[in-house]
Amino acid sequence: MTVFSGAGISAESGVPTFRDVETGLWAKVDPYEISSADGWRAHPDRVWAWYLWRHHMMSAVGPNNAHRAVAAWEDYADVHVVTQNVDNLHERAGSRRVYHVHGSLFDFHCDTCRSAYRGPVPDMPEPVESVDPPVCEACGGLIRPDVVWFGEALPDDAWERSVEAVAGADLVVVVGTSSVVYPAAGLPEMALANGTPVIEVNPEPTPLSSSATVTLREKASTALPGLLQRLPALLT
Ligand code: NAD
Ligand code: ZN
């Protein structure tokens, strides 16, 4: 089984989806500006402040029943998790094979020389507009999170493993993603083209809904815990 997850699976843990972040300080900020390579070059302090706050939020919450259900499937199947999320909630729930196609907010590197950063990351319990990023000891470059921004390539390793996981799957479960951001959104399409059944779990319709084998208009934490038991009924 390959699970393909997006922000919706972590929403019930209290991590707001991108669309939810329409209030407060960040409502005034163009989402492109805080999650693109262009935005980072123009205002690294704003981008760093935004990610520090998200880092705090993601550290403060825990996995929910949906993440736990996915981890528990490993008792019954060979499970690979492809996630667009930069949180570590799948790992914290116990999933062993997790591929972060959009990177991770729990690792950092120098934007200039690419070396890993293992220094301190300040806690940011309240959002602020601007914080200067740490500076690389080796080259003086700016430290950034290992997340993939608009305008950047996906990490080769995670992407290759994800494509393999989809190609080798007997079933793909797509959960909590708006299915609009490519190339990641192409993974379920790849499965369908191979004849592999795709089950979508999302309370809202998405561009994938019309082509998915089954669409469950349910929340992740409702649909996933009993999904294996429902499979025979869903797929016949
Ligand atoms: P998204 O916020 O675009 O979509 C979240 C999806 O989850 C929605 O379709 C929603 O209906 C669904 N959802 C909400 N609650 C749910 C629940 N309880 N159970 C199941 N589904 C639920 O997030 P995404 O699809 O992960 O976005 C893909 C990627 O696009 C992200 O990884 C990110 O890199 C990028 N993105 C960035 C921005 C931005 O920077 N402003 C905005 C959107 C997407
Ligand atoms: Zn450096």
Side-chain angles (χ1 to χ4, degrees):
M1 280 174 75
T2 293
V3 177
F4 178 53
S5 69
I9 196 171
S10 296
E12 291 172 81
S13 289
V15 179
T17 66
F18 286 100
R19 288 176 196 185
D20 290 336
V21 189
E22 284 170 356
T23 52
L25 179 61
W26 301 104
K28 291 175 276 173
V29 179
D30 175 1
Y32 181 78
E33 203 175 288
I34 44 168
S35 50
S36 70
D38 289 341
W40 162 256
R41 277 189 291 271
H43 300 290
D45 56 321
R46 284 195 215 167
V47 175
W48 182 247
W50 156 258
Y51 281 99
L52 284 184
W53 182 54
R54 284 192 70 82
H55 184 262
H56 169 86
M57 273 195 309
M58 289 173 182
S59 309
V61 302
N64 64 54
N65 283 341
H67 300 102
R68 282 191 277 270
V70 171
W73 292 343
E74 291 191 16
D75 291 342
Y76 306 95
D78 186 9
V79 182
H80 297 257
V81 180
V82 178
T83 187
Q84 298 166 90
N85 298 339
V86 298
D87 63 49
N88 54 9
L89 296 175
H90 280 295
E91 290 91 335
R92 284 162 62 194
S95 284
R96 286 175 299 168
R97 284 175 295 263
V98 184
Y99 315 131
H100 285 270
V101 285
H102 290 163
S104 162
L105 189 38
F106 291 83
D107 294 307
F108 302 87
H109 69 269
C110 170
D111 192 38
T112 305
C113 74
R114 306 262 141 202
S115 55
Y117 172 77
R118 306 200 197 285
V121 173
D123 190 33
M124 181 66 57
E126 297 296 332
V128 300
E129 213 154 339
S130 160
V131 180
D132 286 332
V135 168
C136 174
E137 282 187 356
C139 80
L142 297 181
I143 301 302
R144 58 165 283 179
D146 278 7
V147 300
V148 178
W149 287 322
F150 289 112
E152 294 186 321
L154 272 48
D156 287 342
D157 193 47
W159 181 248
E160 277 163 28
R161 285 165 190 262
S162 300
V163 170
E164 274 170 30
V166 168
D170 296 318
L171 172 67
V172 173
V173 178
V174 179
V175 49
T177 173
S178 52
S179 288
V180 292
V181 179
Y182 283 81
L187 291 170
E189 294 169 1
M190 214 180 282
L192 289 168
N194 289 342
T196 307
V198 171
I199 299 180
E200 179 187 56
V201 177
N202 196 318
E204 304 290 335
T206 76
L208 176 69
S209 302
S210 56
S211 52
T213 317
V214 176
T215 290
L216 299 175
R217 292 260 166 273
E218 297 169 22
K219 289 184 165 187
S221 69
T222 310
L224 297 195
L227 188 69
L228 291 197
Q229 291 85 330
R230 287 166 79 186
L231 279 184
L234 291 174
L235 295 175
T236 46

